[in-house]
Amino acid sequence: MTTFLDAAWATDKDKPLEHQNKAWDFAWGVLSKEQQAEFLKRFRNSTNTVTKINNPLAVQYMSQRDNYRDANRTCFSSSCAMLLKFLKPGSIKTDDDYIKVVFTFGDTTEGSTQIATLKHFGLPATFVTTGNRALIQKQINAGKPVPAGFLHHGTPSKPTGGGHWLCIIGYDATGYWVNDPWGEMSLVSGTYPLTDGANKHYSYKNFEPRWMVDGPSTGWCILA
């Protein structure tokens, strides 16, 4: 089994001292399996190595419908919780763990509250209002899900509503793969006929007019 020691001394002719062995073994032992894998991936990266990113990303789905409070208005928090758990697997177990911290900083609908909560869990992030397809693809290619806010009522040509958030987990030639915390949306009618929103495909044609409401590169999203 590969460890920190194998990686650290693989190209070094000198063998580590006993106390160095113990220190490296301790550091390796406190990491989760996901963090160990991430360390080795980054350590081995070179100009001759291409790391394959799954697309869509294997982001755990979290429904807002079972949230311990404000279930009908905590889509932003559930979307950010999905981002957090994917990038920092041991940080939370459910979106309720995240939401309990959210309300210590402010309201669930505020971008500044989400940024503060993510920072609390050790994940630096930025709230932007200049999102576009290229930006989403760049984040996914880097292995980072993207919470995004959009108008979920009305039609794609005339979207309305106070807004809704989901977590974009991938893309293909015709649209985005998303985890929608409220369920699977009918983008054409602006309704939610189904409550399971895990790993759903939302077309560029009908989603982007709801997301980039004010024109090209005006999408709201969170970038980790």
Side-chain angles (χ1 to χ4, degrees), residues 90 122 130 179:
T130 55
N179 278 352

Coordinates of all heavy atoms in Angstrom, one line a residue, residues 90 122 130 179:
G90 N -15.0 14.9 4.9 CA -15.2 14.7 6.4 C -15.8 15.9 7.1 O -16.0 15.8 8.3
G122 N -13.5 25.6 6.3 CA -12.2 25.5 5.6 C -12.2 25.5 4.1 O -11.2 25.0 3.5
T130 N -21.1 36.8 -12.7 CA -20.5 36.9 -14.1 C -20.3 35.5 -14.6 O -19.5 35.3 -15.5 CB -19.2 37.7 -14.1 OG1 -18.3 37.1 -13.2 CG2 -19.4 39.1 -13.7
N179 N -27.5 18.5 -9.6 CA -28.2 18.0 -8.4 C -29.1 19.1 -8.0 O -28.6 20.1 -7.4 CB -27.2 17.6 -7.3 CG -26.6 16.2 -7.4 OD1 -27.0 15.5 -8.3 ND2 -25.6 15.9 -6.6

